[in-house]
């Protein structure tokens, strides 16, 4: 019955969303630790770094096992909920840092389980498009209320309330069915375009490192440099995420009419202008519009790169590696940014972020026509 298939996909979306919440909520994890425990930027960044790093390693490992699906999803969710409870009763930033590392392992289990369901669907493109909409709406809502949780009760109230979020979405796991293991098919997918793999992976790394660092400290930047309240920053970021839904809508309507390479390059160029506007000439208007535009072009570019990866390597190997690059970048960038910001202002280091984006552009330029679907080459 088709409705069972839809509920199965919904369960997969819930797993993938819960696994990626550590990345989506990175700015507010930083804020919760900074406000509640008076942690400096390096300490707060390390909390995010370890969680995302272990999420990346965990998702890489559990992505190769044969027992993905409902059982692994439940296990991962329970681990994360226990970690959130321990974070809510801890008053030491070092303890929370260690606890968050274990939480990352559970997130990796959820990510691997969610991908195993969505990737095995009859129409993966549509499934991931729906997930993008689901994830954006969920993240926007949670970010909007997260800021009020931090202001009302600090880190304890913030972490404890997320247990309810995980319980609610974990109930959807009961709708999932056993996913087919396609590891043998992936193993037979030989890598024949190593140079193209290298270019795409390098491009993703050089785009994600500045993007992840910006995202982790965007809330702090708005509060400290533009004198906005935590709730005001939360409203701006949540609105930007909601409007980023224009990205998948745009791809859904014009995806077959545009060229991927040129569109990705345009998105990278616009991202460079957004970096300059937000950090080079900080004001409410540049912060407001820069965040909105940046989020929209980010979503468009990610969808196009993953679509290109699916055409280049239908086994999903390249897509999995790119996903790991995104998580690893998201795990390392907050700690690096926190360390740099101990001695330098964000308004000083933004030119280096633009250099990273230029390197990503060079990589995409050198892919030639390989990013286009076979029927368009």
């Amino acid at each position: 019955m088709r409705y069972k298939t839809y509920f199965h996909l919904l369960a997969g979306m819930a797993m993938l969303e819960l696994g990626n919440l550590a990345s989506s909520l990175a700015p507010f994890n930083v804020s919760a630790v900074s406000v509640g425990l008076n942690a400096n930027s390096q300490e707060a960044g390390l909390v995010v770094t370890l969680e995302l790093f272990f999420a990346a390693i965990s998702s890489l490992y559990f992505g190769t096992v044969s027992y993905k699906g409902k059982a692994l999803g439940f296990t991962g969710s329970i681990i994360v909920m226990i970690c959130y409870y321990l974070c809510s009763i801890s008053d030491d930033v070092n303890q929370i840092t260690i606890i968050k590392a274990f939480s990352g392992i559970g997130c990796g289990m959820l990510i691997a389980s969610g991908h195993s369901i969505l990737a095995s669907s009859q129409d993966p493109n549509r499934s991931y498009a729906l997930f993008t909409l689901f994830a954006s709406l969920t993240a926007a809502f949670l970010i909007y209320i997260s800021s009020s949780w931090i202001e009302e009760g600090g880190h304890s109230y913030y972490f404890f309330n997320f247990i309810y979020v995980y319980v609610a979405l974990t109930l959807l796991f009961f709708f999932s069915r056993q996913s087919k293991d396609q590891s043998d098919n992936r193993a037979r997918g030989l890598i024949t375009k190593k140079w193209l793999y290298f270019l795409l992976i390098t491009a993703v790394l050089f785009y994600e490192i500045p993007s992840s660092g910006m995202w982790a400290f965007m809330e702090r930047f708005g509060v400290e440099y533009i004198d906005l309240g935590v709730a005001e920053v939360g409203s701006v970021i949540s609105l930007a995420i909601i409007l980023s839904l224009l990205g998948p809508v745009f791809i859904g309507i014009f995806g077959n009419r545009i060229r991927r390479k040129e569109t990705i390059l345009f998105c990278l160029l616009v991202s460079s202008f957004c970096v300059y506007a937000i950090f080079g000439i900080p004001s409410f208007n540049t912060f407001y519009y820069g965040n909105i535009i940046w989020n929209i072009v980010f979503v468009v570019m990610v969808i196009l790169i993953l679509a290109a990866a699916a055409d280049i390597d239908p086994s999903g190997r390249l897509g999995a590696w790119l996903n790991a690059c995104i998580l690893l970048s998201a795990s390392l960038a907050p700690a690096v940014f926190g360390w740099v910001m101990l001695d330098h202002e964000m308004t000083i280091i933004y030119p280096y972020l633009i250099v990273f984006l230029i390197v990503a552009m060079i990589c995409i330029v050198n892919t030639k026509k390989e990013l286009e679907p076979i029927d368009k080459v």
Side-chain angles (χ1 to χ4, degrees):
M1 298 182 183
R2 294 189 64 85
Y3 75 89
K4 291 185 177 180
T5 300
Y6 295 144
F7 280 119
H8 177 62
L9 292 175
L10 181 61
M13 293 179 193
M15 293 177 189
L16 200 52
E17 173 63 2
L18 289 178
N20 282 294
L21 276 183
S23 178
S24 302
L25 296 169
F28 294 91
N29 286 333
V30 168
S31 180
V33 176
S34 299
V35 173
L37 300 175
N38 294 319
N40 60 41
S41 59
Q42 186 176 16
E43 292 172 329
L46 186 60
V47 172
V48 175
T49 291
L50 281 185
E51 183 173 27
L52 296 180
F53 176 79
F54 279 95
I57 300 302
S58 177
S59 62
L60 282 174
Y61 172 74
F62 287 105
T64 64
V65 301
S66 60
Y67 46 88
K68 299 186 290 291
K70 182 189 295 186
L72 187 63
F74 273 117
T75 303
S77 185
I78 291 172
I79 290 175
V80 176
M81 284 189 279
I82 292 174
C83 290
Y84 268 87
Y85 173 73
L86 294 176
C87 286
S88 71
I89 62 175
S90 175
D91 291 323
D92 183 81
V93 66
N94 294 319
Q95 291 178 357
I96 290 179
T97 301
I98 297 173
I99 294 168
K100 277 295 190 178
F102 284 98
S103 175
I105 296 175
C107 289
M109 294 179 179
L110 288 162
I111 291 170
S113 299
H115 276 299
S116 71
I117 291 176
L118 297 185
S120 63
S121 64
Q122 294 182 348
D123 188 352
N125 291 332
R126 180 169 296 180
S127 297
Y128 278 105
L130 289 174
F131 166 71
T132 302
L133 295 173
F134 174 79
S136 297
L137 290 173
T138 303
F141 172 72
L142 292 177
I143 286 174
Y144 181 75
I145 60 177
S146 292
S147 55
S148 62
W149 288 346
I150 295 172
E151 290 186 332
E152 290 176 16
H155 77 286
S156 296
Y157 192 58
Y158 170 80
F159 286 126
F160 190 82
N161 279 344
F162 268 101
I163 297 176
Y164 298 117
V165 174
Y166 272 81
V167 169
L169 290 179
T170 299
L171 293 177
L172 296 175
F173 295 3
F174 287 105
F175 294 118
S176 66
R177 305 192 302 268
Q178 184 65 35
S179 298
K180 296 180 181 179
D181 179 37
Q182 299 182 9
S183 57
D184 292 338
N185 293 332
R186 289 194 299 269
R188 288 194 292 266
L190 299 176
I191 301 176
T192 59
K193 300 180 179 180
K194 294 183 180 179
W195 176 242
L196 181 59
Y197 277 54
F198 171 78
L199 289 174
L200 278 178
I201 290 172
T202 304
V204 169
L205 282 173
F206 273 82
Y207 180 78
E208 281 294 332
I209 289 175
S211 296
S212 298
M214 288 168 55
W215 177 245
F217 286 95
M218 192 65 75
E219 185 271 345
R220 286 292 87 193
F221 182 82
V223 171
E224 296 177 5
Y225 287 84
I226 310 180
D227 295 327
L228 298 176
V230 176
E232 290 178 299
V233 176
S235 298
V236 172
I237 295 178
S238 61
L239 176 61
I241 292 177
I242 291 175
L243 291 179
S244 71
L245 296 178
L246 295 173
V249 172
F250 172 80
I251 296 300
I253 297 174
F254 301 104
N256 294 326
R257 306 176 190 176
I258 61 176
R259 295 186 62 81
R260 289 173 180 164
K261 178 178 176 179
E262 286 77 3
T263 307
I264 292 172
L265 287 172
F266 176 77
C267 290
L268 286 170
L269 180 62
V270 173
S271 295
S272 300
F273 286 121
C274 289
V275 170
Y276 171 72
I278 294 172
F279 301 111
I281 43 178
S283 67
F284 176 78
N285 287 333
T286 56
F287 184 82
Y288 181 83
Y289 292 108
N291 268 284
I292 290 175
I293 297 172
W294 176 49
N295 273 272
I296 293 174
V297 298
F298 175 83
V299 170
V300 170
M301 190 179 70
V302 168
I303 293 174
L304 291 177
I305 287 180
L306 291 178
D311 283 334
I312 295 168
D313 186 356
S315 71
R317 189 197 306 263
L318 178 57
W321 287 355
L322 294 177
N323 190 42
C325 289
I326 292 173
L327 285 173
L328 288 173
S329 298
S331 71
L332 296 175
V336 173
F337 269 58
W339 175 72
V340 171
M341 289 173 63
L342 288 176
D343 300 315
H344 302 283
E345 301 289 338
M346 180 70 88
T347 53
I348 295 177
I349 66 173
Y350 78 87
Y352 300 99
L353 307 183
I354 295 178
V355 171
F356 272 60
L357 296 176
I358 292 174
V359 173
M361 291 183 203
I362 294 173
C363 291
I364 296 299
V365 167
N366 282 281
T367 59
K368 299 180 180 179
K369 296 182 179 180
E370 298 290 346
L371 301 186
E372 309 304 326
I374 296 177
D375 59 349
K376 285 191 175 182
V377 177

